[in-house]
C-alpha cells in the first residue's frame, strides 16, 4: 500500500524516512519507539468472515512486513496480531498508516522485526457489513483469526516467512479483542500456539464495567461506545430493547433506529443534533458517584426508567461477588445479560499475558484490568499473568521502570503545556489520558514483554 511520507507517496518506508515522518507529526515520537531498525512495507489482504448474527461478510487486514540488512529484519520473523482501538470513522484502515495508532504499531513492531497483521474488522474500511460487531467477543475473535489465516496464506507471495512465534496485542477495544482472541485460540490449539499476549486498557470485565457505569460511574465517551455495543448486541439477537424508545430519549430514538438499520454510520449518529458528549443520564437520576457529575444533565441519552430497571436487576441479581467466580450470577435484564455474555473472565490463560493500563483512566476504567488480573490470578493461569499500572511509582528493579518513568514525564509535559496556555493542566491530562498518553507507553511495555518471551 502506498503511504504518504513527508509529502511523497512511497511503498516502503526506510528507517530514516519513517523516523522523520513520526517526529514531524509528533515531536519526540522516536524517543518513545526507540531505534527503527527495519524498513516497513504495508500491504492489505481481504478475507471472508462472519458478522454478529453469523452472517457471511468480508473484511480486510493490514500486513506490515519488515526488511533490511539488520539481522532482525530478515529471515523467518515473529508475527504480531494487532487489534485496533475504537474509531467512529467507517473508513478506519490500518494499512494506510494515516492514523497515529497504525504508525505507532508499525514503528514499535514492524520496524523492529515483527511481521504485523492488523485486521480492520468487519464493518470498517472496505467491509460490506453495514455495522460493526463492537465488543462481541465471539465475532471479534473469529474476525481476528480469519484475518490471520488470510495473512498467512499470502506470506509466501510477499516473500516473508513466519517463525512460528505468535504474539497478540491491542489497545482499548483492541485490548479486549486481543484477550478474547487468546481465549478463542486456546480452543484451536492444533492451529495456533500463542507465544504471549498483551491486553492494553481494555474493558475485559465487561459485566462489572457495565454495572459500574449504570451505578453512577459512566466512562468518558460512553454516549458513543454504549450505543455501538447495544447495536451489536441487537444484531446478535440480544433483545436489549423491543423499541429504541424504551432506552433512548425521544430526540435520539429515531437516529438510533437509522443506525440500527445500517442507514447511517456511528460517525453520523454521533453528529445527530443535540447528541450528548457526556450526559448519559438525567440530571436527577440516582445514584451519582462523586466526580462524575458531567455524565448527568439536560439532554441526556438514556431514559431514567430504563436505568432504574437495570439497577433493580443489579440489586436482585448481583455479579462480581468473588474474584474467582465473578460471573456466578444470573441477571435477567437484557443489557446486563449482554455484558455478562461478553465478559472475558471465563478462562485461564495458557500463555504469558500482560495487562497494561493506567489507574487514572476515565474512559475504560482501570477496574477492568484490576478485576481481570484478580480473576486470572485466582485460577490455574496465575503465574502467567503480569500487571503493569503505568501510574505506579516504579521500584529500582521494576522491569517496566522506563515505561512508567517516561509516562510520568509525558503526563507532566501535557499538564505544563496546558497551564502555559491558560488551561487546566488536570483537565488536559484527563482529556488525552486514554486515547493519547497511555497507548505508546503500554505498547513499549508490551514490546519488552514480547522480547523477553523471544529470548533464548
Amino acid at each position: 500500500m502506498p503511504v504518504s511520507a513527508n509529502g511523497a507517496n512511497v511503498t516502503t518506508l526506510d528507517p530514516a524516512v519513517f523516523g522523520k515522518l513520526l517526529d514531524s507529526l509528533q515531536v519526540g515520537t522516536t524517543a518513545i519507539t526507540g531505534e527503527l531498525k527495519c524498513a516497513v512495507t504495508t500491504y492489505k489482504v481481504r478475507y471472508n468472515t462472519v458478522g454478529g448474527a453469523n452472517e457471511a461478510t468480508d473484511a480486510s487486514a493490514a500486513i506490515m512486513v519488515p526488511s533490511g540488512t539488520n539481522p532482525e529484519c530478515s529471515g523467518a520473523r515473529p508475527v504480531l496480531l494487532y487489534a485496533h482501538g475504537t474509531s467512529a470513522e467507517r473508513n478506519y484502515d490500518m494499512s494506510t498508516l494515516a492514523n497515529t495508532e497504525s504508525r505507532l504499531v508499525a514503528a514499535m513492531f514492524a520496524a523492529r522485526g515483527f511481521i504485523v497483521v492488523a485486521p480492520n474488522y468487519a464493518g470498517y474500511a472496505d467491509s460490506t457489513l453495514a455495522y460493526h460487531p463492537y465488543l462481541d467477543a465471539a465475532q471479534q475473535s473469529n474476525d481476528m483469526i480469519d484475518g490471520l489465516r488470510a495473512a498467512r496464506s499470502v506470506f509466501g507471495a510477499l516473500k516473508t516467512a513466519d517463525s512460528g512465534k505468535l504474539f497478540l496485542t491491542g489497545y482499548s477495544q483492541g485490548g479486549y479483542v486481543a484477550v478474547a482472541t487468546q481465549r478463542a485460540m486456546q480452543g484451536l490449539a492444533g492451529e495456533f500456539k500463542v507465544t504471549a499476549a498483551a491486553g492494553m486498557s481494555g474493558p475485559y470485565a465487561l459485566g462489572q464495567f457495565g454495572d459500574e457505569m449504570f451505578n453512577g460511574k459512566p466512562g468518558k465517551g460512553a454516549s458513543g461506545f454504549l450505543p455501538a455495543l447495544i447495536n451489536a448486541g441487537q444484531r446478535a439477537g440480544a433483545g436489549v430493547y423491543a423499541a429504541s424508545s424504551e432506552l433512548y430519549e425521544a430526540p435520539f430514538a429515531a437516529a438510533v433506529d437509522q443506525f440500527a438499520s445500517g442507514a447511517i454510520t456511528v460517525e453520523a449518529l454521533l453528529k445527530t443534533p443535540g447528541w450528548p458528549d457526556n450526559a448519559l443520564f438525567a440530571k436527577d437520576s440516582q445514584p451519582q458517584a462523586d466526580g462524575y457529575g458531567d455524565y448527568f444533565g439536560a439532554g441526556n441519552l438514556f431514559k431514567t426508567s430504563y436505568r432504574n430497571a437495570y439497577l433493580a436487576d443489579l440489586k436482585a441479581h448481583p455479579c462480581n461477588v468473588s474474584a474467582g467466580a465473578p460471573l456466578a450470577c444470573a441477571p435477567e435484564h437484557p443489557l446486563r445479560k449482554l455484558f455478562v455474555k461478553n465478559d472475558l473472565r471465563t478462562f485461564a490463560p495458557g500463555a504469558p499475558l500482560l495487562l497494561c493500563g493506567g489507574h487514572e483512566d476515565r474512559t475504560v476504567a482501570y477496574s477492568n484490568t484490576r478485576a481481570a488480573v484478580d480473576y486470572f490470578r485466582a485460577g490455574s493461569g496465575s503465574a502467567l499473568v503480569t500487571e503493569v499500572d503505568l501510574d505506579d511509582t516504579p521500584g529500582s528493579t521494576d522491569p517496566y521502570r522506563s515505561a512508567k518513568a517516561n509516562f510520568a514525564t509525558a503526563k507532566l509535559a501535557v499538564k505544563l503545556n496546558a497551564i502555559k496556555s491558560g488551561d487546566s493542566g488536570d483537565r488536559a491530562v484527563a482529556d488525552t489520558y486514554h486515547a493519547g498518553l497511555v497507548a505508546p507507553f503500554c505498547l513499549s511495555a508490551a514490546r519488552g514483554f514480547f522480547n523477553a518471551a523471544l529470548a533464548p
Side-chain angles (χ1 to χ4, degrees):
M1 291 288 295
V3 175
S4 178
N6 305 322
N9 285 331
V10 296
T11 54
T12 298
L13 285 169
D14 68 43
V17 171
F18 196 6
K20 288 180 181 177
L21 172 63
L22 291 170
D23 285 334
S24 69
L25 295 170
Q26 180 65 53
V27 175
T29 300
T30 55
I32 300 171
T33 64
E35 180 186 0
L36 308 184
K37 298 181 178 182
C38 311
V40 178
T41 306
T42 304
Y43 304 89
K44 184 159 70 170
V45 62
R46 294 181 64 86
Y47 59 92
N48 294 320
T49 188
V50 295
N54 209 37
E55 70 273 43
T57 190
D58 57 356
S60 61
I63 306 174
M64 304 174 187
V65 178
S67 61
T69 57
N70 189 296
E72 292 186 28
C73 307
S74 59
R77 307 307 312 148
V79 173
L80 178 87
L81 182 60
Y82 182 81
H84 72 72
T86 303
S87 175
E89 298 176 22
R90 180 69 168 78
N91 295 322
Y92 199 78
D93 188 340
M94 292 290 289
S95 71
T96 66
L97 302 191
N99 58 75
T100 300
E101 183 175 25
S102 58
R103 289 191 297 269
L104 267 176
V105 171
M108 283 282 192
F109 291 100
R112 295 294 285 265
F114 290 78
I115 301 167
V116 175
V117 178
N120 290 319
Y121 305 150
Y124 276 106
D126 40 13
S127 170
T128 56
L129 194 65
Y131 69 101
H132 170 54
Y134 184 65
L135 297 180
D136 181 324
Q139 188 283 333
Q140 292 226 252
S141 55
N142 286 336
D143 194 337
M144 294 289 288
I145 288 168
D146 289 337
L148 178 58
R149 286 171 174 151
R152 282 176 163 179
S153 74
V154 299
F155 281 171
L158 301 182
K159 296 182 172 55
T160 194
D162 178 351
S163 71
K165 300 292 186 181
L166 174 61
F167 298 90
L168 313 176
T169 193
Y171 188 75
S172 192
Q173 174 190 0
Y176 171 93
V177 174
V179 176
T181 302
Q182 181 180 17
R183 182 181 70 175
M185 284 183 170
Q186 289 184 190
L188 299 168
E191 184 178 3
F192 301 103
K193 181 174 174 55
V194 176
T195 306
M200 302 179 289
S201 299
Y204 325 104
L206 202 56
Q208 177 178 297
F209 191 31
D211 287 353
E212 287 176 349
M213 286 191 285
F214 272 79
N215 211 25
K217 295 182 177 180
K220 182 179 173 64
S223 62
F225 66 72
L226 277 178
L229 182 152
I230 290 166
N231 183 56
Q234 287 290 96
R235 290 279 192 160
V240 178
Y241 55 77
S244 59
S245 57
E246 293 175 12
L247 171 55
Y248 296 97
E249 294 284 7
F252 311 117
V256 168
D257 287 339
Q258 286 187 291
F259 174 53
S261 71
I264 62 173
T265 64
V266 67
E267 190 173 10
L269 178 72
L270 301 183
K271 292 179 180 176
T272 300
W275 191 275
D277 290 333
N278 295 309
L280 204 62
F281 304 120
K283 188 174 183 178
D284 59 355
S285 182
Q286 295 293 332
Q288 300 181 24
D290 290 344
Y292 287 81
D294 287 350
Y295 303 98
F296 299 83
N300 56 290
L301 186 63
F302 289 166
K303 285 188 169 180
T304 299
S305 56
Y306 192 90
R307 184 190 184 206
N308 287 345
Y310 185 108
L311 292 174
D313 190 76
L314 172 58
K315 183 177 180 180
H317 306 286
C319 300
N320 304 293
V321 175
S322 72
L327 305 182
C329 56
E332 295 182 356
H333 190 280
L335 182 53
R336 291 193 73 220
K337 285 183 178 180
L338 179 64
F339 286 141
V340 168
K341 175 186 176 183
N342 288 297
D343 195 303
L344 299 181
R345 293 172 294 168
T346 58
F347 77 110
L353 172 63
L354 172 80
L355 293 179
C356 179
H359 67 241
E360 293 182 6
D361 198 332
R362 277 294 187 90
T363 300
V364 179
Y366 192 76
S367 57
N368 281 277
T369 297
R370 181 75 264 153
V373 168
D374 288 346
Y375 168 77
F376 290 135
R377 287 183 175 166
S380 59
S382 60
L384 294 171
V385 178
T386 298
E387 178 184 5
V388 175
D389 179 353
L390 292 175
D391 270 313
D392 274 350
T393 301
S396 59
T397 60
D398 188 339
Y400 302 99
R401 178 182 178 85
S402 178
K404 293 176 181 178
N406 291 336
F407 177 67
T409 300
K411 278 176 63 180
L412 180 60
V414 168
K415 182 177 288 190
L416 291 177
N417 285 337
I419 292 170
K420 287 178 182 177
S421 301
D423 298 321
S424 165
D426 290 341
R427 173 68 71 176
V429 169
D431 286 346
T432 59
Y433 190 95
H434 180 83
L437 275 169
V438 173
F441 300 100
C442 272
L443 278 169
S444 178
R447 187 174 69 188
F449 187 69
F450 294 163
N451 284 338
L454 284 171

